Amino acid sequence: MSNRRRTVDRARPGVLHEDYPAWLLRTALGIPSVSGQELPVAHFLAEQMAELGFDSYVDEVGNAHGLIGPRTGPTVMLFGHIDTVPGQVPVCQVGDLLYGRGAVDAKGSIVTMICAAARTRGVRVHLIGAVGEEVAGSRGARHVLATVPPPAAVVIGEPSGWDGVCLGYKGRTGIGYEISQPPLHTSSPEPTAVERAARFAHDVQDYLRGLSPDQDDPIAFGVAAGTLIRLHGDLAAAEAFLTCRVPPGFDFAALERFARSRPHTRIWVDERVPGVTRPRADPVVSQLRAAIAAQGVRPTLKRKAGTSDMNTLDPWGVPMAAYGPGDAHLDHTTDEHIPLADLYRAIDVLALALPRLASQLAAASPQDLVPQQDLVPSQAAASPDLLEA
């Protein structure tokens, strides 16, 4: 009997065999899905969701959708991404550890969501595996924002650790720089084009550091920081590019004015994504915390220096938090892997949280669900139960 035939009980749609989550993740990891090449894994996940009883389809931009549960009552959206960064991590299992590109970021979260939704009864779930999260533009999330009615709440599928909940992410912008000038002799005291580009990158980093002079940690949630990721050129022409992670409320226009005040031929930005943070009292945060606590451990709350589709979907203004198994420090590394025990624990947590969240949403008045910030970004590092990563 093939492994595939043992995964889903076709006589009882929605009933999973014990090995199904591990098989689903292993198979999804074996389908490469670098940003822009997600269609094969999108169709695979849509087919699997259909076998589990979802109404599933792949939309115009390649997002995989699955809807399950009664059509009445509040809709809870489970939103993860199916694209990965480039780079090969051979799919293999060593003991309890499953290796593969995307195991942590973020196919483990998608599999958690599919399996938890399939186990849940009485909750309307709209599950989306989005494309394009790992590249500027967040094409999949922006398409959903423009074409799908706002749900009652959203769980973002990102690695928080099975016993953690992520309340916020820094925002992001990318700044490009070009300079062209007449060629100089190497004995000239005037800066070369590539020296000007290097100076530009240094000036932008200094500008960002100067916004938070009392903070030495560049990943602290209230701190803006820039990373030079590309620099090349010669005497006459050069280019630099920085990716900047910024806290909620950051003034993008001021940064761009500063950049344009430096000597340049061309300045451009690739996106302006505001930072986002949610309070502990957010219904999604509260129910995920309670479900983790029900497993006998104390939940960890986190804010992250990276950016996710939580930032893109924030304009909906609905309860939202990020949850998923895996250690985010392994994102994009050659050692990317996930303990299968954590995958199964995360499925249990989400399956417990979903009906409780739906009940809370159904009973609450709209004003009760409007997220209110309980912690300003500069206070985040002082909170004893908030981690930053």
Side-chain angles (χ1 to χ4, degrees):
M1 182 184 297
S2 75
N3 192 23
R4 180 162 185 167
R5 291 194 184 97
R6 291 190 291 110
T7 57
V8 179
D9 189 339
R10 288 180 173 81
R12 294 181 295 163
V15 175
L16 311 182
H17 286 294
E18 184 177 351
D19 65 345
Y20 180 75
W23 173 86
L24 182 61
L25 179 54
R26 189 180 303 112
T27 307
L29 293 176
I31 304 174
S33 57
V34 174
S35 303
Q37 303 171 32
E38 305 97 332
L39 204 55
V41 78
H43 282 299
F44 165 73
L45 293 174
E47 291 168 1
Q48 287 301 305
M49 286 191 283
E51 290 194 9
L52 292 169
F54 291 76
D55 294 324
S56 65
Y57 64 96
V58 176
D59 69 19
E60 301 87 341
V61 301
N63 297 323
H65 293 250
L67 295 101
I68 197 168
R71 296 181 181 275
T72 58
T75 296
V76 177
M77 180 175 286
L78 305 181
F79 191 101
H81 69 90
I82 57 176
D83 64 319
T84 71
V85 297
Q88 294 186 353
V89 179
V91 179
C92 65
Q93 186 171 338
V94 180
D96 183 53
L97 305 181
L98 181 58
Y99 289 76
R101 173 60 76 225
V104 176
D105 190 17
K107 291 180 180 178
S109 295
I110 283 288
V111 168
T112 295
M113 291 174 162
I114 290 173
C115 295
R119 280 174 44 180
T120 303
R121 296 291 178 267
V123 181
R124 182 63 170 175
V125 173
H126 185 173
L127 191 152
I128 299 176
V131 300
E133 190 274 344
E134 295 287 4
V135 293
S138 296
R139 181 172 177 240
R142 293 196 181 280
H143 181 76
V144 169
L145 191 67
T147 60
V148 176
V154 181
V155 179
I156 298 290
E158 287 283 353
S160 59
W162 79 267
D163 57 351
V165 182
C166 186
L167 281 67
Y169 291 87
K170 282 187 177 181
R172 181 197 173 275
T173 188
I175 301 179
Y177 173 89
E178 288 181 2
I179 186 74
S180 298
Q181 62 184 35
L184 301 169
H185 192 276
T186 54
S187 64
S188 171
E190 294 297 316
T192 66
V194 73
E195 287 174 331
R196 290 186 186 275
R199 170 54 61 181
F200 170 82
H202 182 76
D203 288 349
V204 169
Q205 290 171 327
D206 277 352
Y207 171 86
L208 294 172
R209 279 192 289 265
L211 298 177
S212 307
D214 297 329
Q215 299 265 9
D216 295 327
D217 184 357
I219 71 167
F221 197 71
V223 175
T227 301
L228 177 64
I229 62 172
R230 187 167 68 249
L231 174 66
H232 59 83
D234 52 27
L235 301 177
E239 178 182 332
F241 190 86
L242 297 96
T243 187
C244 307
R245 303 291 179 172
V246 300
F250 182 79
D251 190 339
F252 291 99
L255 172 61
E256 291 168 27
R257 285 194 299 269
F258 174 82
R260 296 183 192 283
S261 73
R262 308 294 92 183
H264 68 277
T265 300
R266 184 169 79 101
I267 300 288
W268 76 96
V269 299
D270 61 359
E271 62 180 359
R272 302 170 185 85
V273 181
V276 60
T277 184
R278 295 302 171 103
R280 295 172 179 81
D282 181 289
V284 177
V285 176
S286 297
Q287 294 301 340
L288 286 170
R289 291 173 67 192
I292 292 168
Q295 311 304 310
V297 300
R298 180 179 179 179
T300 301
L301 301 181
K302 302 178 180 181
R303 286 185 170 94
K304 294 192 177 182
T307 306
S308 77
D309 281 331
M310 183 173 174
N311 303 66
T312 304
L313 300 179
D314 185 59
W316 270 338
V318 301
M320 191 181 310
Y323 179 74
D327 180 353
H329 293 96
L330 298 174
D331 291 2
H332 306 180
T333 70
T334 57
D335 191 38
E336 187 172 5
H337 64 270
I338 190 168
L340 289 175
D342 289 2
L343 173 69
Y344 283 87
R345 291 187 186 104
I347 294 169
D348 290 341
V349 167
L350 189 56
L352 179 61
L354 281 173
R356 293 177 172 181
L357 175 60
S359 296
Q360 181 179 356
L361 295 170
S365 60
Q367 57 266 31
D368 293 334
L369 300 177
V370 177
Q372 300 293 325
Q373 302 305 332
D374 65 353
L375 199 66
V376 298
S378 62
Q379 294 173 309
S383 177
D385 62 348
L386 266 173
L387 298 180
E388 296 172 356

